[in-house]
Amino acid sequence: MSLPVGATIGILGGGQLGRMLASAAAKLGFRTIVFAPGEGLPAAQMASQHMDADYSEADALEAFAAACEVVTLEWENVPVAALDVITSA
């Protein structure tokens, strides 16, 4: 799959790996949205946008999915139910 420059990459999780992904994406001309609960997260500091919401908030997950061309996981502990909401949106 090829993404056009300027496309938005959604990142589930806000840790160091997400920070590195957001930084690399920005250098390549992509926007990033980090979805993770909490403030001051490493990935959120580099992302174009941060959605501070819990993984159980279906409305927030749907809005996140709608704003992204592609979504990836920054860590392995994202609840499966959250992925179900995203793939259904």
Side-chain angles (χ1 to χ4, degrees), residues 5 42 57 60 69:
V5 173
E57 294 180 39
E69 277 74 32

Side-chain angles (χ1 to χ4, degrees), residues 9 11 13 18-19 21-23 26 30-35 41-51:
I9 300 169
I11 304 170
R19 180 184 176 93
L21 173 58
S23 176
F30 296 104
R31 292 181 35 79
T32 53
I33 301 175
V34 168
F35 186 104
L41 302 173
Q45 295 170 3
M46 289 301 242
S48 307
Q49 182 181 346
H50 172 216
M51 294 184 77

Side-chain angles (χ1 to χ4, degrees), residues 51-64:
M51 294 184 77
D52 180 2
D54 190 83
Y55 296 111
S56 64
E57 294 180 39
D59 289 344
L61 288 164
E62 289 171 357
F64 169 73

